[in-house]
Amino acid sequence: GGKDAINITIINFNKEKMQITWATRELFHNENVSFFYTFGEGKHKVWKPCTTYLLDQDYNSGCLFKTEGPTLAFSIRNSNGSEKLFSKQLKVDFYIKPSPPENVTFFWEEDTVTVSCNKPERSAHCLRLELQYKSKFDKEWQSRTAKCCNVREQGFDPRKCYSFRVRLSRRVPECNVAKYSSDWEAETFWMNGTLLDSCDDDVTTQPETEIVLSCSLAILLMMLILSILLCKWQRVRMSVLPAIPDPKYTFADLFNDHNGNLQEWLDKNDHVMLQTKLEYEEPESITEAESQQEDGKNSEKPGPLEKIFTFPGAAENNDSKAAEIACLIPASNTTAPFAGFNILMNDDMYVML
């Protein structure tokens, strides 16, 4: 209570310098106070005035001076030093703020990193080494603390770039009254055990690579789906609407040479048809003729005779080979096979497809 309860900040910078600050406008109503300190003990204390003031809007708000002993006594007085406004005595070793770690090294082994620094000569047991890291895809720092001066962490992705920073902190309440930590060591950037200047390149290239790969996979998937649908559609179309053969490919000369005139085409190719028919029906005709001769001997009424025709061209040209080509005229409504089609033939030799 009283004057000892006011807000005063005391920092011992690694046992080298002392810094004591106060809130001028709140505590002293913007009064420009003076500061005195001493490291002596007993009745013969030598009070020294502050030579280096810290200012807040042109008002004295703190003092910076050299650490000269383990025990400090100080007082805040009015502007001319005649009236004491606040005083306090303390052990400076309980207000130490350590210096940043020195000679920081990183050792990588697969997904594990070990960070080390030089061990301080004094009070190393009071110090803790804190490691913080994050990738560019993390919003907050991840923290890991261990005894001075070695910290080990695992689970790092070799495809990511990480930012690292380390600092030393004092143990509370074993060694310090206030929880003070050193300033952060310079930030470093690592990716899969390789030291980089920054992670900016990694941030810009990795999303572009992912976008290109995603688009390529999407295009390949769409092409595969379209191919499958096309094959399915072809099969459905063939089953529902089967293809109708085009006769012009079977009778190419009929459509190309005679413009579809069947009678003209037959007149030109009738000797080919007769020749083909003779080759297939000649043995059968001979057998039928012999059977009719035998029936004529045994019967008074002769059986019906087949009509025989010859080609006019054979009589006019006296071609002996053409004259010999003859066949039995098929009976009425006889079906004759030709080129894979059944042709219906009547007595007048008209062909109906």
Side-chain angles (χ1 to χ4, degrees):
K3 295 182 178 179
D4 291 339
I6 68 175
N7 187 13
I8 300 291
T9 302
I10 304 168
I11 302 177
N12 182 2
F13 290 102
N14 200 32
K15 298 184 179 182
E16 296 176 358
K17 288 186 178 182
M18 295 293 301
Q19 176 181 293
I20 299 178
T21 57
W22 55 86
T24 299
R25 288 176 294 177
E26 296 177 5
L27 299 177
F28 308 111
H29 305 287
N30 294 329
E31 181 181 356
N32 204 3
V33 298
S34 59
F35 182 86
F36 294 84
Y37 69 94
T38 181
F39 287 94
E41 298 181 1
K43 297 181 180 180
H44 303 286
K45 294 181 180 178
V46 179
W47 290 91
K48 298 180 180 180
C50 179
T51 57
T52 306
Y53 279 103
L54 304 177
L55 301 179
D56 180 10
Q57 296 183 0
D58 296 331
Y59 290 96
N60 296 335
S61 62
C63 182
L64 183 65
F65 52 95
K66 184 179 179 181
T67 303
E68 299 175 355
T71 304
L72 170 67
F74 66 90
S75 66
I76 301 175
R77 304 176 185 181
N78 58 5
S79 58
N80 57 17
S82 59
E83 182 183 356
K84 185 183 296 186
L85 303 177
F86 176 80
S87 64
K88 186 177 180 65
Q89 185 172 340
L90 53 90
K91 294 289 185 181
V92 295
D93 288 346
F94 288 98
Y95 296 88
I96 294 178
K97 179 178 180 178
S99 299
E102 298 179 355
N103 193 22
V104 180
T105 59
F106 289 80
F107 176 74
W108 286 80
E109 185 178 5
E110 296 181 353
D111 66 337
T112 304
V113 60
T114 303
V115 183
S116 304
C117 68
N118 288 348
K119 189 175 182 179
E121 297 179 358
R122 298 176 296 178
S123 305
H125 65 282
C126 289
L127 297 175
R128 307 273 294 180
L129 180 63
E130 182 180 2
L131 168 68
Q132 286 191 346
Y133 61 91
K134 69 175 181 178
S135 69
K136 290 300 181 180
F137 306 100
D138 298 328
K139 296 181 179 180
E140 298 180 354
W141 289 92
Q142 305 294 322
S143 184
R144 175 79 173 178
T145 305
K147 292 182 180 181
C148 183
C149 292
N150 187 292
V151 61
R152 178 184 177 91
E153 183 67 356
Q154 60 183 7
F156 293 98
D157 191 342
R159 298 170 297 178
K160 293 182 180 180
C161 179
Y162 291 89
S163 303
F164 289 90
R165 63 183 186 181
V166 293
R167 68 180 178 180
L168 291 173
S169 59
R170 293 276 292 186
R171 297 173 61 188
V172 177
E174 296 87 354
C175 300
N176 251 39
V177 174
K179 188 177 181 179
Y180 287 150
S181 300
S182 70
D183 295 333
W184 291 104
E185 181 67 12
E187 189 174 348
T188 57
F189 307 94
W190 296 81
M191 181 176 180
N192 196 21
T194 303
L195 180 62
L196 304 177
D197 294 334
S198 68
C199 289
D200 295 337
D201 295 338
D202 177 66
V203 173
T204 55
T205 57
Q206 188 166 353
E208 293 178 357
T209 305
E210 293 179 356
I211 292 174
V212 171
L213 291 177
S214 301
C215 294
S216 301
L217 291 176
I219 293 174
L220 292 176
L221 183 60
M222 291 180 62
M223 293 178 62
L224 179 61
I225 294 174
L226 290 177
S227 300
I228 295 175
L229 293 177
L230 183 60
C231 294
K232 293 285 186 181
W233 167 248
Q234 291 291 342
R235 294 178 61 183
V236 170
R237 190 176 67 84
M238 291 297 295
S239 61
V240 175
L241 300 173
I244 301 175
D246 193 344
K248 71 180 181 179
Y249 296 106
T250 306
F251 305 98
D253 54 346
L254 172 63
F255 293 94
N256 296 334
D257 301 338
H258 303 283
N259 294 325
N261 191 332
L262 181 62
Q263 189 62 46
E264 180 182 342
W265 178 72
L266 289 176
D267 292 343
K268 184 176 180 180
N269 297 279
D270 53 0
H271 66 281
V272 179
M273 295 171 56
L274 292 176
Q275 179 67 28
T276 304
K277 187 172 184 65
L278 284 175
E279 291 178 358
Y280 285 98
E281 294 186 358
E282 184 175 0
E284 183 179 355
S285 301
I286 296 174
T287 303
E288 291 180 356
E290 291 179 355
S291 177
Q292 290 176 1
Q293 290 178 2
E294 292 180 358
D295 290 342
K297 295 179 181 180
N298 299 328
S299 176
E300 293 179 359
K301 186 177 179 179
L305 299 176
E306 287 85 355
K307 297 178 181 180
I308 302 176
F309 71 92
T310 60
F311 290 93
E316 294 176 1
N317 299 329
N318 294 324
D319 188 358
S320 60
K321 187 175 181 178
E324 294 176 359
I325 298 175
C327 68
L328 297 177
I329 299 176
S332 178
N333 297 331
T334 300
T335 301
F338 174 71
F341 292 86
N342 292 326
I343 302 176
L344 184 64
M345 306 179 64
N346 56 19
D347 294 338
D348 297 330
M349 292 301 293
Y350 285 101
V351 178
M352 294 185 295
L353 295 178

